[in-house]
Amino acid sequence: NQSNASEGTGKEINSTENRPLKAEGPERGGKWVKINSERVEDFYIFKYEASRKDANSTNEGESTIPYSQKGVRPWNEIAQEEASKACESLGEGYSLPTNKQWQAAASTSEVEEIKGNINGGEKSSSKACETYGREGPEKICLTGSGPESWENSEGIEDIKGNLWEWTDTVVNPEKLEKSGESGYVSSFNGELLDPELSDREESLDNSFYYSSPKGERAVRRGGGWNSKRISGLYSTIIDRKPEYSATTIGFRCVYQN
C-alpha cells in the first residue's frame, strides 16, 4: 500500500506483515515516509515518533517492538542504546537514523520552518494537540495529534518539539571545532555537528546547538515539549552519554534496504 504524503515530497506507506521478503519498502513497523535526498541514499523513516506496538492514548504499553502509529503515547524515557536495539529488533535494515538521515528527513531545504509542541501543547499553535502527562507539568502530545502546521514538507509528524529524538550518531565533542560551545544555528550543512552559530534572530528555524566539552556523547535532535526557544529543525544537542534517558527524549526508526 503506497500513497503520496500530503503536501510533501516524501512517500507515505503502510507496512504489512504479508509483503514478500524482497519488498522494496519496510515490511513492519507501521506508517513510514520515504525520503529521497541528495545528501544520503534513499531511506524510509517513521512518520510518527516511535511508540510501543501495543500503546494507546492512555497507556504506553509493554511491547518491546517500536511502531509508527497515530494517536498514542510515544515511547519516551529511553536511552540511545535501548532505542537502537528496539529499532534493530524489527529486522535487517532497521536502525536508529544517523544524524545525516535525521536531518535529511527533517528538512529538504535550509529555510524550512514549522511549528510544533514546544510549549506544552498550549501556546505553540492556535490548535493544541491531545496531551497527556504524569503528575506535574508534563505536556507530551499523543503521536500525530497536533495541527497540520506541525507536519513538515515530507509529511513527518512532530519532528520539531514534543520529544527530543535520538540518532545513532555518537561523537567525542573534544574532536569538534565547536566543542563546549552553544548558540543558534545560522548555517546549514549535512551533519550540523560544527555549524556556524549566531544570535536567535539570525538562526534557521530558531534552532539551537550545544556540545559538551568532553567525553563520548550521543546526538539528539529536534526539541522537546518544554524546549520553547531552543527547538528547531536544525537543533542539535551533544551532551549526554548513550546510556542516558529522560522523559523528554524519544526516537523514531529508519529502514534502508
Side-chain angles (χ1 to χ4, degrees):
N1 298 326
Q2 183 167 318
S3 61
N4 290 337
S6 60
E7 303 300 323
T9 59
K11 302 292 185 180
E12 179 183 335
I13 70 165
N14 296 312
S15 63
T16 70
E17 301 302 327
N18 297 320
R19 289 189 176 192
L21 292 177
K22 297 298 182 180
E24 176 189 354
E27 301 169 40
R28 51 185 69 90
K31 287 186 175 290
W32 299 80
V33 173
K34 185 175 183 179
I35 303 298
N36 303 103
S37 174
E38 296 179 355
R39 304 171 200 156
V40 295
E41 293 184 12
D42 293 355
F43 65 97
Y44 297 82
I45 190 167
F46 272 7
K47 178 177 177 66
Y48 305 107
E49 288 177 322
S51 64
R52 296 179 186 272
K53 189 173 182 179
D54 58 347
N56 57 41
S57 61
T58 59
N59 193 302
E60 65 183 11
E62 297 180 354
S63 173
T64 59
I65 300 174
Y67 215 71
S68 173
Q69 55 190 327
K70 184 174 183 177
V72 302
R73 292 179 60 163
W75 191 345
N76 65 329
E77 199 166 5
I78 184 170
Q80 188 226 36
E81 296 174 330
E82 183 184 357
S84 178
K85 291 178 181 178
C87 290
E88 291 171 359
S89 73
L90 291 172
E92 184 178 356
Y94 298 87
S95 66
L96 277 180
T98 65
N99 191 45
K100 282 186 177 181
Q101 285 176 326
W102 194 98
Q103 188 57 58
S107 176
T108 56
S109 75
E110 60 184 80
V111 295
E112 184 170 358
E113 295 186 8
I114 63 171
K115 294 183 179 181
N117 179 26
I118 61 174
N119 197 20
E122 297 170 357
K123 299 179 181 179
S124 48
S125 174
S126 59
K127 178 182 176 182
C129 66
E130 296 179 52
T131 61
Y132 73 91
R134 301 175 180 178
E135 293 183 5
E138 291 187 350
K139 294 292 184 180
I140 301 171
C141 294
L142 300 180
T143 55
S145 66
E148 289 185 6
S149 61
W150 293 10
E151 179 180 296
N152 76 351
S153 61
E154 295 293 319
I156 301 171
E157 306 273 2
D158 300 322
I159 197 137
K160 174 181 178 178
N162 207 40
L163 293 175
W164 287 97
E165 297 181 12
W166 288 122
T167 71
D168 82 340
T169 302
V170 177
V171 298
N172 184 340
E174 295 178 26
K175 298 181 179 180
L176 300 176
E177 293 181 9
K178 297 294 191 298
S179 177
E181 295 188 30
S182 63
Y184 287 90
V185 178
S186 63
S187 70
F188 174 82
N189 60 52
E191 278 290 337
L192 287 172
L193 296 180
D194 271 319
E196 293 299 319
L197 303 178
S198 68
D199 295 331
R200 183 169 181 263
E201 291 73 19
E202 301 175 2
S203 68
L204 301 176
D205 195 36
N206 300 318
S207 299
F208 192 77
Y209 172 92
Y210 172 69
S211 169
S212 171
K214 60 182 180 179
E216 189 177 73
R217 298 291 186 264
V219 179
R220 69 183 192 273
R221 302 298 307 274
W225 63 270
N226 61 347
S227 299
K228 298 183 180 179
R229 294 168 64 92
I230 66 170
S231 293
L233 294 177
Y234 312 90
S235 290
T236 306
I237 304 297
I238 314 170
D239 68 339
R240 298 294 185 181
K241 295 180 179 180
E243 59 267 28
Y244 175 82
S245 66
T247 58
T248 54
I249 303 177
F251 68 105
R252 65 182 81 215
C253 302
V254 297
Y255 172 78
Q256 191 172 54
N257 58 8

